[in-house]
Amino acid sequence: MRRQHTIVTALALALLAGAWSACSPQGDEIVVGEYGSLTGGTATFGTSTHEGVLLALKKINDAGGVLGKQVRVVTEDDQSKPEEAVTAVLKLVKQNQVVAVVGEVASSRSLAAAPVCQSSKIPMLSSASTNPKVTQVGDFIFRACFIDPFQGSTMAKFAVNTLKAHKFAILTDNKNDYSVGLTQFFRETVKKLGGEIVVEESYAEGDIEFKAQLTSIKAAQPDAIYVPGYYTECALIARQAHELGLTATLLGGDGWDSPKTTEIGGKAVEGVYFTNHYSAEEQRPEVQQFLKEYREAYKGKTPDAMAVLGYDAMSMMADALRRAGSTDGTQIRDALAATKDFPGVSGRITIDKDRNAQKAIVVLKIENGAFHFVESIAP
Amino acid sequence: MDQFIQQLINGLSWGAIYALIALGYTMVYGVLRLINFAHGDVYMVGAMMAYYIAHWLGFAVAPSAAGFVIVMVLSMTACALLGALIELVAYRRLRSQPRSSMLITAIGVSMLLEFGGQRVFGPDPKFFPQLIESHSLFRAGSVVMTNIDALVIVVSLALMIGLRWIVMKTRVGMALRAVSFSYDAAALMGIDVNRVLTLTFMLGSALAAAAGTMVGLRNPKIDPLMGLMPGVKAFVAAVLGGIGNFPGAVVGGLLMGLTETFVSAYLSSTYRDAVAFVILIGVLLVKPTGLFGRVTVEKV
Amino acid sequence: MAGLLHLLRRNALVAVIVLAQWPLSMALSRWLNPYYLQIIVYIGINVILAVSLNLINGITGQFSLGHAGFMALGAYVSAAFTLSLGASVAGTTELLVALLIGGFGAAVAGVLVGVPSLRLRGDYLAIVTLGFGEIIRVLILNTNAVGGARGLTGIAPLAGFGSVYGCAVVCVVMLWRLVHSTKGSAFAAIREDEIAAAAMGVDTTRYKVIAFTIGAFWAGVAGGLFAHFIGYIHTNSFTFLKSIEIVVMVVLGGAGSISGAILAAAALTVLPELLRFGAEYRMIIYSLLLIVMMLTRPTGLLGNRELTWRSWKPGTAH
C-alpha cells in the first residue's frame, strides 16, 4: 500500500516540476526555434537539417549576430510524428518565446505545426517541405525549397525533350507525400508531352526489398523509370534493378542527393539523372564556401540536400531578421516575404507571392561516382 | 513464365530471411509464451555488429567467402550474448508475473535498442560492406538468380537443419522441448529451466543475427530502425505457421515472402502490406492455431 | 417522466462535471500557456484511449493490438463529415454529431474484429487485431478522397479542453458503471476463466463483442477529438506503434484498473515532455524508465485495484 502512495506522489511531483520549469526570456540574445525529426522513422532528415542549421548559426554569430545580438537556436524533437510536431512548436513559441521557427522537412509535420505559428503570428520557414499546401496555411508560413509541381514537371520535360524517352515506369514511395506529389506532376506532364506511362508501382518508406516491383517494371520494358523517393531507399532500388538486368535510365528528385547514394548504389547508380537544388560543381562562392565549411565542421562529411536546405533556411531567417530590424513577428514576416535574390547555397532565392522559394533547378547526372551538372532550368 | 519464375526466386530468397527471424520468435514463444517484441531489433543489432566487425577485421575491403563466414559467426556470437543479457535483465525477474508485464519490458527493450541505436550508430543508413561480390549465378531468358540469393537460401537452410539437430538430437534440445511442453513438469524433472531459457534466447538471437548479416549482404543498406517492419512481419509469419512450431515458422516465413512478392507483382504493390494481413486473418479464421499449430484441449 | 427524473438524479454529478468544463475551458485557454493546455488535452485524449482499451484488454482479457486502427477510423470518418459540411462549421453540435458518427464507424469495425475473436485466443487474437489496424491504415493511405499519403488538411479545430474532458468524463463514468454493475462482472469473469464463465451461464460471445464494440466506439471518439483538435491528420499518427503505446498505458496502469489507466495515460503523456531537456537522449531515458517501472511494479501502478476517494479499495476484480 505504502509503495503505491510513494509512486503516485512521485508522479504528481514530477508533473508539477514540469509545469514550473521556467520560461526563457529574451535577453541579450535572439532566440529562434527549430523543430525536426531527431529521432524516429526519418531521423536522418532531422539530423542532417540540424547540422546545416548549426553551421549557418555559427557563421551568423561569428559575423557578430543580428541586430547587435547573438542568435540562439532552440531545437525540439518531434519523433517523426505530426502530432508531436504540434507540441514541439507550441513549446518553442509559447514557452521559449522564439521570434521565428525553422522546420520541418516532411510536409505532413509542417502542415500539422504551421497553424500554431500562423495563429501566434510567428513566421515559420520550412526548409524542405515541398507540398504546395504547406504555405497555403497562412501568410506567416514560408519555405526555402521549390514545390512538387515544379520539380516533377521539370524532370518530365527533361526526360521527354532532352533524353527523348517515350515509355515511362514510375516507382513511388506510397507512404510519402513528397514522392506521391512528384509522381502526380511527373505523370501529368509526361502525358501532356505525348509520353506514355506503361507501369506504376509503389513501395513504402523503410522497405529494402523491391525486386517484385522491379521485375514487373522490367516486363513492361520502359525507356526510363522515375523513382521520386529518398536516397535511403532509392540507392537500393537502383542496385536491385541492376541485379535484375534492368537497363532503363533511372530518374529521380532531390531526395537522391546524398553521398550515400553512390556509396550504396555503386555502379548501379551510374547514369542516373535527378533534379536538385544545386550542384557541388557550381563555382558560385556560396556553394564552394559552404562545402568547405561543412567538411571542416563534420569530419569530411559531404552534405546532403537536407543539410543544404537547413543551412539556407537558417541563413534566410537571419537575413530577414536583419532587414526587419526588429524581432516583431509581423515585421519578420514582411522581411521574409520581401526576400529577393538571396544568395543561398541552393541558388538565388526569391520568395514569391505564395511564399514559396523561386530558384533555378538543376539536373544532375551520376558519372564515375560523382554528381555532374547537366543543365540549369529557371522557374 | 519468365516473370513468374523470377518472382518465385525473389520471394523464396526474401522469405528465407523472414523464416530465420520467425524461428527466433517461435522458439521464445514456445518456452516462455512471450511475444518477444525486441527480436526484430536484435536482428538489427546483428546487421550492425556484422558491419562493424567487417570493418574492424578488414574484410570490408577484401571480399572473400571466408570473411563472410567469420563475420557472420562473430555477429551471431555477439547477438547470442545480447539475447542472454536481455533475458537475464528484462525477463527473468518477471517470469512469475502476469505475462503482460513481460510484454511491456519487451517493448521497452525494443525501444531502447531502436532509439539507442539511433544515437550509437547514427540514424542515417549505412552501406553494408560487400563481403561477397554479387554476380549473376545463372541467366535463363530474362530470369536472373544472383549468387547472393542462392547463398541466402542455402545458408538459411543449413542453419535451420542445424537448429533442428540441436533441438531433436542433443540433451539441451531435449530439455528445451521438455520446457516448452510443460514448464513446471520440466522443472520437477530436474531440468535447469534458467539455463534452457538462456539457451533459447541465445539460439534465437543468433539466428536473427544471421538473418541480419545476410540481409546486409543481399540488400546492403542497414539502419537502426530496419528491424521494425521485418520484426512484425516475421511475427505474423510465426503465427501463420502456428506459433511455437518450428517447421511452421519456416513455412510461415517462406509463405510471407512469397505472398508479398506475388501481391506486388500480380495485384498491386500499394496493398501489399494489407493483403499479407488479410491472408493471415483468413487462415486463422479457418485454422485458429495457424497452419501447424498444436490444438490444445482446454481443460476445465 | 419518473424514469427521466431518476436518470437525471443518477447522472447529476456527471452532468455538472461535464457542464463545468465550459467555464473551465474558457478560463484555461485564457490563463494557461497553450503548450501546457496542449499537453493537458493530449492527456484527455489518451485517457479515453487507455480507458476504452482497458475494457477490452484489461477487464475482458482480450489482448488487442489494433486500437490505433479504431482511432484512425474515428478520426477520418468524423473529419470527412465536418469537411463535407463546408468551411463554415463552428459549433458544438457539429462536433458532437461528428464524434458520434466517428465513434459509430469505429464501433462497426469493432464488431467486425470482435466476431473473429470468438474463435481466437490470446496471441492469435493479438496478431489479428494488429493486422486489422494495419489494414485500416493501408486502406486510408490509398484513399485519395481523404488525402492518402498527403494527409487530410483543413479540419475545423472544433475540439478543445471542454469537449475532450467532457467526453473523457462520460467515457470513464460509463465504463466504470458498466464494469461495476452486476452484468459487468461478466467481463472480468471472462478474463479470469472463460470456460468457467461460460459454464456459469455467462454469454461469453455476447460480452466479448460488447467489449470490442464499446472499446472501439470510444477509440473512434478519441480519434475524432484528436482530428478536430490538431486540425490535420496523417496515417503516420495511427501506426501499430500507437496501438502499442496505448497497450503500454493499460498494462502500466494495472490491467483491469480504470483509475490506473487514467494515471498511466497522464504519466506517459507528460513523461516525454519532462524529458525534453535530454534532447536526443530523451527517448532512450523513456524506454529505460519503462523497463525499470515494469521491473519494480510488474502488475502495473495500481495492480487491479482502483483509486477511490475513500481509500485504496480493492476493485471488483481479484
Side-chain angles (χ1 to χ4, degrees):
Chain A
M1 290 296 140
R2 179 155 284 164
R3 273 180 75 188
Q4 279 173 342
H5 277 295
T6 327
I7 287 180
V8 174
T9 317
L11 274 173
L13 280 177
L15 289 178
L16 284 173
W20 270 319
S21 63
C23 299
S24 61
Q26 304 270 339
D28 49 354
E29 55 186 8
I30 294 175
V31 186
V32 172
E34 183 208 355
Y35 68 110
S37 47
L38 297 177
T39 61
T42 52
T44 149
F45 304 153
T47 43
S48 265
T49 309
H50 186 52
E51 283 175 355
V53 168
L54 287 185
L55 195 63
L57 179 71
K58 186 172 171 290
K59 199 172 175 186
I60 294 160
N61 282 335
D62 285 352
V66 291
L67 311 178
K69 291 176 182 177
Q70 291 282 296
V71 179
R72 186 162 66 94
V73 168
V74 180
T75 309
E76 288 299 343
D77 172 34
D78 58 29
Q79 296 175 49
S80 311
K81 294 182 200 163
E83 69 273 23
E84 289 292 324
V86 182
T87 319
V89 170
L90 263 173
K91 181 190 172 268
L92 289 171
V93 171
K94 301 297 180 186
Q95 202 179 2
N96 299 105
Q97 296 174 349
V98 299
V99 300
V101 172
V102 172
E104 234 270 15
V105 171
S107 298
S108 59
R109 298 192 285 273
S110 291
L111 274 169
V116 175
C117 291
Q118 180 62 31
S119 64
S120 321
K121 299 199 185 305
I122 295 291
M124 172 180 131
L125 178 58
S126 159
S127 61
S129 293
T130 53
N131 187 328
K133 276 190 175 160
V134 172
T135 49
Q136 288 165 14
V137 168
D139 58 353
F140 278 84
I141 314 299
F142 298 83
R143 82 177 97 220
C145 54
F146 35 62
I147 51 175
D148 293 338
F150 179 44
Q151 197 175 180
S153 54
T154 303
M155 183 42 97
K157 283 178 200 153
F158 175 80
V160 174
N161 298 337
T162 312
L163 297 179
K164 306 286 175 218
H166 181 69
K167 285 161 72 184
F168 292 93
I170 305 181
L171 184 53
T172 313
D173 178 350
N174 198 38
K175 243 175 100 179
N176 189 324
D177 50 344
Y178 156 81
S179 190
V180 172
L182 288 194
T183 299
Q184 184 196 334
F185 296 104
F186 180 83
R187 189 198 296 125
E188 281 172 11
T189 314
V190 161
K191 283 184 182 159
K192 216 183 291 164
L193 296 174
E196 189 190 349
I197 309 285
V198 286
V199 57
E200 282 195 48
E201 293 286 341
S202 71
Y203 63 95
E205 204 171 76
D207 280 359
I208 54 170
E209 176 68 11
F210 312 95
K211 283 196 176 164
Q213 294 93 316
L214 289 169
T215 305
S216 301
I217 289 178
K218 189 183 172 187
Q221 296 177 321
D223 303 326
I225 310 169
Y226 190 47
V227 191
Y230 285 117
Y231 70 92
T232 41
E233 283 87 26
C234 290
L236 265 191
I237 291 174
R239 213 183 159 89
Q240 292 176 10
H242 185 76
E243 281 177 358
L244 287 170
L246 255 165
T247 48
T249 313
L250 292 179
L251 312 170
D254 59 330
W256 283 70
D257 180 21
S258 163
K260 299 272 177 193
T261 303
T262 45
E263 194 190 344
I264 297 173
K267 56 181 186 291
V269 294
E270 288 293 306
V272 171
Y273 290 94
F274 67 94
T275 45
N276 200 12
H277 308 273
Y278 80 113
S279 159
E281 289 179 343
E282 278 182 82
Q283 289 308 314
R284 280 189 298 126
E286 295 88 25
V287 176
Q288 294 310 320
Q289 181 78 15
F290 169 75
L291 287 173
K292 192 171 141 269
E293 283 169 13
Y294 191 91
R295 290 198 179 110
E296 273 167 17
Y298 301 106
K299 296 179 243 162
K301 208 167 135 186
T302 307
D304 61 11
M306 299 303 153
V308 172
L309 291 172
Y311 182 90
D312 273 0
M314 189 64 217
S315 314
M316 277 170 75
M317 192 55 95
D319 174 63
L321 275 163
R322 227 171 264 137
R323 282 185 289 112
S326 145
T327 54
D328 174 67
T330 314
Q331 280 175 295
I332 303 173
R333 175 200 64 183
D334 295 341
L336 263 178
T339 303
K340 197 166 186 307
D341 284 333
F342 175 79
V345 177
S346 60
R348 297 210 153 261
I349 302 168
T350 299
I351 295 289
D352 66 12
K353 64 176 191 343
D354 298 318
R355 295 169 301 281
N356 296 322
Q358 291 288 345
K359 55 187 168 187
I361 199 167
V362 293
V363 178
L364 302 181
K365 183 183 189 184
I366 305 180
E367 270 173 323
N368 302 323
F371 302 155
H372 291 295
F373 177 80
V374 178
E375 66 176 338
S376 178
I377 298 160
Chain B
M1 192 60 203
D2 274 7
Q3 202 192 340
F4 179 81
I5 295 170
Q6 182 69 59
Q7 299 289 16
L8 201 65
I9 296 173
N10 298 344
L12 277 178
S13 132
W14 183 233
I17 304 274
Y18 280 149
L20 279 181
I21 311 175
L23 274 172
Y25 268 112
T26 272
M27 288 178 74
V28 169
Y29 190 87
V31 292
L32 215 51
R33 300 281 178 273
L34 163 72
I35 306 169
N36 183 12
F37 266 102
H39 192 66
D41 302 294
V42 173
Y43 149 87
M44 174 273 289
V45 174
M48 287 292 173
M49 282 296 136
Y51 169 88
Y52 285 107
I53 292 168
H55 278 280
W56 283 330
L57 298 182
F59 292 122
V61 282
S64 73
F68 165 70
V69 173
I70 294 171
V71 167
M72 190 166 91
V73 169
L74 286 179
S75 160
M76 286 169 78
T77 317
C79 281
L81 294 177
L82 175 70
L85 183 74
I86 292 173
E87 192 268 332
L88 184 71
V89 175
Y91 305 148
R92 183 160 292 184
R93 284 189 54 190
L94 297 175
R95 219 178 294 152
S96 55
Q97 298 294 341
R99 276 208 300 142
S100 57
S101 51
M102 233 195 284
L103 186 79
I104 301 301
T105 51
I107 292 170
V109 172
S110 162
M111 286 170 68
L112 182 65
L113 290 177
E114 282 163 19
F115 289 113
Q118 289 200 328
R119 289 304 341 133
V120 177
F121 309 127
D124 51 329
K126 291 185 189 327
F127 172 59
F128 194 86
Q130 289 316 88
L131 299 168
I132 295 173
E133 203 115 31
S134 149
H135 55 83
S136 56
L137 199 62
F138 71 81
R139 218 177 255 271
S142 64
V143 180
V144 183
M145 185 172 192
T146 65
N147 56 338
I148 305 282
D149 279 333
L151 182 92
V152 168
I153 295 173
V154 170
V155 174
S156 306
L157 209 63
L159 286 171
M160 288 168 203
I161 292 170
L163 179 71
R164 190 170 171 77
W165 180 78
I166 293 180
V167 172
M168 302 309 281
K169 302 282 178 192
T170 62
R171 282 179 63 84
V172 277
M174 204 195 296
L176 199 154
R177 276 182 290 146
V179 173
S180 104
F181 189 74
S182 167
Y183 200 92
D184 297 329
L188 286 173
M189 298 307 287
I191 292 173
D192 185 347
V193 177
N194 280 342
R195 250 188 67 201
V196 171
L197 282 177
T198 308
L199 184 87
T200 309
F201 272 87
M202 290 179 82
L203 282 175
S205 304
L207 288 180
T213 312
M214 285 194 289
V215 154
L217 202 61
R218 188 175 179 277
N219 315 50
K221 184 208 84 176
I222 58 174
D223 64 81
L225 295 186
M226 65 185 275
L228 204 62
M229 274 328 270
V232 175
K233 300 269 179 67
F235 173 41
V236 172
V239 174
L240 186 65
I243 193 155
N245 180 295
F246 285 33
V250 175
V251 174
L254 291 178
L255 269 181
M256 194 78 189
L258 286 172
T259 312
E260 286 196 350
T261 306
F262 281 102
V263 167
S264 299
Y266 295 106
L267 291 171
S268 161
S269 42
T270 42
Y271 291 103
R272 184 195 58 192
D273 290 348
V275 172
F277 281 110
V278 169
I279 289 175
L280 171 90
I281 294 175
V283 168
L284 288 188
L285 285 183
V286 181
K287 264 191 75 88
T289 51
L291 292 173
F292 299 91
R294 229 184 316 171
V295 182
T296 45
V297 183
E298 290 201 39
K299 283 163 264 180
V300 182
Chain C
M1 194 61 207
L4 190 70
L5 268 177
H6 174 70
L7 198 71
L8 262 178
R9 201 161 28 216
R10 257 194 70 165
N11 291 297
L13 187 65
V14 182
V16 168
I17 295 176
V18 170
L19 286 178
Q21 308 290 332
W22 187 67
L24 193 58
S25 91
M26 296 287 275
L28 281 176
S29 58
R30 214 188 154 91
W31 303 112
L32 193 70
N33 184 331
Y35 166 55
Y36 296 137
L37 189 63
Q38 163 99 359
I39 298 170
I40 290 171
V41 169
Y42 276 0
I43 290 177
I45 293 172
N46 281 337
V47 162
I48 302 177
L49 288 168
V51 169
S52 59
L53 181 67
N54 190 34
L55 177 68
I56 305 173
N57 270 27
I59 292 163
T60 320
Q62 304 299 303
F63 194 37
S64 166
L65 277 176
H67 225 50
F70 298 136
M71 185 189 174
L73 265 181
Y76 274 91
V77 170
S78 64
F81 170 74
T82 46
L83 281 173
S84 73
L85 293 180
S88 58
V89 283
T92 323
T93 332
E94 283 93 341
L95 177 66
L96 262 177
V97 176
L99 291 179
L100 281 175
I101 292 177
F104 278 117
V108 170
V111 177
L112 288 178
V113 186
V115 171
S117 80
L118 308 177
R119 272 175 67 86
L120 297 168
R121 294 278 144 83
D123 303 311
Y124 291 98
L125 175 62
I127 202 72
V128 164
T129 51
L130 187 152
F132 203 81
E134 285 293 285
I135 291 172
I136 291 176
R137 198 179 56 79
V138 172
L139 288 181
I140 294 174
L141 196 56
N142 288 302
T143 308
N144 251 324
V146 289
R150 289 194 196 86
L152 196 51
T153 46
I155 307 163
L158 302 174
F161 176 86
S163 45
V164 167
Y165 277 85
C167 288
V169 170
V170 174
C171 168
V172 169
V173 170
M174 174 182 165
L175 294 190
W176 182 284
R177 285 205 181 142
L178 179 72
V179 170
H180 290 86
S181 65
T182 347
K183 280 185 173 176
S185 8
F187 292 110
I190 293 173
R191 171 188 64 193
E192 294 304 321
D193 192 331
E194 204 178 321
I195 297 170
M200 295 308 288
V202 173
D203 186 349
T204 53
T205 307
R206 194 170 144 232
Y207 280 97
K208 282 203 267 183
V209 175
I210 288 178
F212 264 104
T213 314
I214 296 179
F217 173 82
W218 282 107
V221 170
L225 287 166
F226 177 79
H228 290 89
F229 179 64
I230 70 170
Y232 167 81
I233 45 176
H234 191 273
T235 47
N236 281 356
S237 299
F238 312 105
T239 58
F240 71 92
L241 294 174
K242 180 70 189 176
S243 300
I244 289 180
E245 202 181 306
I246 310 169
V247 170
V248 171
M249 285 171 190
V250 170
V251 177
L252 188 75
S257 166
I258 290 179
S259 40
I262 297 172
L263 203 63
L268 288 178
T269 314
V270 172
L271 194 58
E273 296 303 322
L274 291 182
L275 293 174
R276 277 204 183 275
F277 68 86
E280 292 106 320
Y281 292 92
R282 71 175 173 138
M283 294 318 285
I284 301 178
I285 307 173
Y286 177 90
S287 47
L288 277 173
L289 278 176
L290 198 63
I291 299 172
V292 171
M293 275 198 259
M294 226 52 229
L295 285 173
T296 47
R297 286 203 68 82
T299 49
L301 291 175
L302 296 186
N304 56 15
R305 290 165 210 281
E306 294 291 3
L307 190 59
T308 58
W309 297 122
R310 266 160 262 134
S311 63
W312 299 93
K313 185 188 97 187
T316 45
H318 287 282

